């Protein structure tokens, strides 16, 4: 019986890619390059006719469909990689789970927490593998930071500061698609488009979520857009720690500096390097016995060596493939996409209502405020562009 099961076990995952824009087409090429053991792309779908024609010419051996329902019903795929516009990530995933597919979604998990929660529930009910393309979790810098914090090297976390302003985007970038930087077309600006990786890594590395957030979002700062492109957020944590998150798409040159301070020192990630100022004894211990008015703990500056390459997207796809074929643990479970999105939604909501926002998030209030912005958005769907969002039914997302 064991030999029969082994003989019938699949040796390859047949992927269907939903959406062949920049990221979708890149994932198709990555899998077709042979870099992903046990994976092949057998089908793609896209609602834009021009993209389908382009795909047929580029990959003549891949089946091309107009919509995902037809692709899922074809019998050609075992798993889907969802790379369509943000608003469509949850409904596409839910549909795929209902058809017995494994699902790997691009970031962000969705635009608002309520729809992502429904996607997570569908994933759990299906029993299928569910992953998210958080490729920065493969970066040795952030993996090492997570390890050092988890093993207690930094002690209790006291403060985090992330300045991530090297997302420079010109007006020409925003003008390249009518859906870009609109509430109806994209669901937000720098928080929903550029920063999902950092908003994931922030709680993933330090091992905790904020308890409340106060934020200020400037919309259309130095750019003719309707969504936020300059953000300053302040977070508080259950243990008393605080955090600041600053991002912008108009700073030139920009900065990417993540600083985490704990009871036993400080770690800084910047310019591809990790520096650890390690205290000889914890600050708490030093403070308890120190009698010198201007005394301070002895600190050792250590350049932390990093092991291995950063496989990025290919690493996530390989891990997801291995999870299906061999039962490997997922590096980026799809259910965790709700965490970074909760922070993003909380930052938006805090700015919109001009006040503090507690976590867990008031999902209904956030959705009501988002719907106001969707209703007044300048973006309207046309046949050659991404689909526009409509105001969402508050009682039922899909």
């Amino acid at each position: 019986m064991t030999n029969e099961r082994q003989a019938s076990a699949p040796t390859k995952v047949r992927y269907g890619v939903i959406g062949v824009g920049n990221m979708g087409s890149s994932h198709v090429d990555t899998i077709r390059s042979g870099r992903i053991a046990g994976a092949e792309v057998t089908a793609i779908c896209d609602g834009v006719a021009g993209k389908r024609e382009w795909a047929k010419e580029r990959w003549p051996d891949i089946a091309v469909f107009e919509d995902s329902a037809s692709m899922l019903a074809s019998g050609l795929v075992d798993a889907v990689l969802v790379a369509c516009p943000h608003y469509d990530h949850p409904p596409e995933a839910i549909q795929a789970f209902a058809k017995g597919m494994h699902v790997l979604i691009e970031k962000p998990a969705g635009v608002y927490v309520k729809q992502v929660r429904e996607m997570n529930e569908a994933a759990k009910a299906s029993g299928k593998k569910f992953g998210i393309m958080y490729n920065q979790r493969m970066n040795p810098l952030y993996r090492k930071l997570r390890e050092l914090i988890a093993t207690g090297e930094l002690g209790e976390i006291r403060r985090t500061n992330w300045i991530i302003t090297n997302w420079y985007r010109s007006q020409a970038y925003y003008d390249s698609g009518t859906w870009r930087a609109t509430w109806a077309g994209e669901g937000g600006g720098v928080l929903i488009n550029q920063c999902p990786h950092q908003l994931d890594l922030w709680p993933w590395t330090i091992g905790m979520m904020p308890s409340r957030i106060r934020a200020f979002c400037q919309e259309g700062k130095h750019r003719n857009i309707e969504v936020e492109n300059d953000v300053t957020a302040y977070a508080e944590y259950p243990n008393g720690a605080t955090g600041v998150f600053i991002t912008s798409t108009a700073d030139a040159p920009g900065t990417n500096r993540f600083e985490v301070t704990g009871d036993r020192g400080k770690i800084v990630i910047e310019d591809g390097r990790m520096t650890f100022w390690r205290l000889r004894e914890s600050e708490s211990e030093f403070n308890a016995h120190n009698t010198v008015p201007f005394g301070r703990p002895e600190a050792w500056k250590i350049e932390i060596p990093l092991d291995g390459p950063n496989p990025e997207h290919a690493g996530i796809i390989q891990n997801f493939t291995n999870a299906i074929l061999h039962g490997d643990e997922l590096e980026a479970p799809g259910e965790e996409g709700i965490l970074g999105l909760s922070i993003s939604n909380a930052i938006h909501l805090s700015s919109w209502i001009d006040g503090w926002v507690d976590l867990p998030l008031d999902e209904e209030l956030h959705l009501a405020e988002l719907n106001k912005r969707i209703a007044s958005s300048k973006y309207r769907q046309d046949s050659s562009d991404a689909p526009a969002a409509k105001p969402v039914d508050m009682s039922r997302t899909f």
Side-chain angles (χ1 to χ4, degrees), residues 159-178:
R159 186 185 309 280
T160 67
N161 293 285
W162 204 330
I163 303 175
I164 174 69
T165 58
N166 62 341
W167 291 123
Y168 184 80
R169 297 293 187 270
S170 67
Q171 188 64 47
Y173 165 82
Y174 292 118
D175 292 343
S176 67
T178 60

Side-chain angles (χ1 to χ4, degrees), residues 107 133-136 194-202:
K107 58 80 179 171
M133 193 63 75
Y134 279 150
N135 54 283
Q136 286 303 305
Q194 283 80 34
C195 282
H197 289 300
Q198 287 72 40
L199 292 172
D200 169 62
L201 292 171
W202 193 11

Side-chain angles (χ1 to χ4, degrees), residues 319-346:
N319 170 248
F320 188 72
T321 302
N322 291 347
I324 296 171
L325 294 178
H326 312 301
D328 288 16
E329 183 177 350
L330 288 171
E331 297 284 356
E335 293 84 357
E336 294 181 7
I338 201 170
L339 301 178
L341 185 65
S342 292
I343 297 174
S344 175
N345 283 183

Side-chain angles (χ1 to χ4, degrees), residues 7 13 53 90 103 126 177 181 199 216 218 221 234 266 278 292 295 310 324 335 337 344 347 350 357 383 385 389:
V13 177
E53 293 306 312
V103 177
S126 75
L199 292 172
F216 304 88
Q218 293 178 281
K221 187 175 184 179
Y234 172 79
K266 177 179 72 176
R278 193 181 193 285
V292 180
N310 180 6
I324 296 171
E335 293 84 357
S344 175
I347 292 173
S350 174
V357 169
S383 60
D385 215 329

